[in-house]
Amino acid sequence: MTRSKLLRALTVAGTIALSAVATTPAAHAAADACTHDWSGPQICIAADGQNGTANPGHVTASWTNPPKSRKSATVYLYQPDGYTYSFKAKRSGGEIVGHTVPGIQSDGNLCVRFKGSSHKACIDIRNRNGSF
């Protein structure tokens, strides 16, 4: 199997496994969502705040298929009020993960994007349904 076919097969297998986990109710996260682009980075956002409230709690951003050479990355958090700020994420095993606590948010989408990528993963602050 060529390297590109192997990489694509591993990406598909990983995404299928992640989808199975994402459809199982998670006790630790009130909301989570991931991008679904087979050729691009797999970016995810999770929040552990209480469902249906304006406080997302702790927000985790993850990049599940970064290049092996990447040890860290800058994450941009897009808030519903239009404000954007950044925080650092570090490699943890096979992914790059960062955490922040953004505080009370206005109604709308809370999104994360990693520097160098146009892919965003978003959650709705009020009803906590994942979107991308």
Side-chain angles (χ1 to χ4, degrees):
M1 185 178 283
T2 66
R3 181 179 168 98
S4 64
K5 287 183 181 177
L6 177 62
L7 181 59
R8 180 160 297 224
L10 290 172
T11 302
V12 169
T15 302
I16 290 170
L18 184 60
S19 295
V21 170
T23 58
T24 304
H28 66 282
D32 58 6
C34 295
T35 59
H36 300 285
D37 182 348
W38 299 108
S39 62
Q42 182 76 22
I43 307 299
C44 298
I45 182 174
D48 67 0
Q50 186 176 347
N51 229 1
T53 69
N55 187 351
H58 293 87
V59 173
T60 301
S62 60
W63 180 359
T64 62
N65 60 346
K68 291 182 189 257
S69 62
R70 295 289 301 260
K71 302 297 180 211
S72 64
T74 299
V75 181
Y76 297 102
L77 181 79
Y78 298 88
Q79 297 182 165
D81 62 5
Y83 184 72
T84 302
Y85 70 90
S86 63
F87 59 97
K88 287 291 187 181
K90 295 182 180 178
R91 182 172 283 278
S92 176
E95 61 184 2
I96 295 178
V97 180
H99 307 277
T100 189
V101 182
I104 302 297
Q105 301 293 310
S106 58
D107 200 14
N109 283 335
L110 186 67
C111 303
V112 293
R113 178 182 68 82
F114 281 78
K115 185 175 184 177
S117 171
S118 61
H119 299 277
K120 285 184 187 177
C122 301
I123 55 172
D124 186 291
I125 291 301
R126 294 295 178 191
N127 67 17
R128 303 298 172 95
N129 291 324
S131 65
F132 55 94

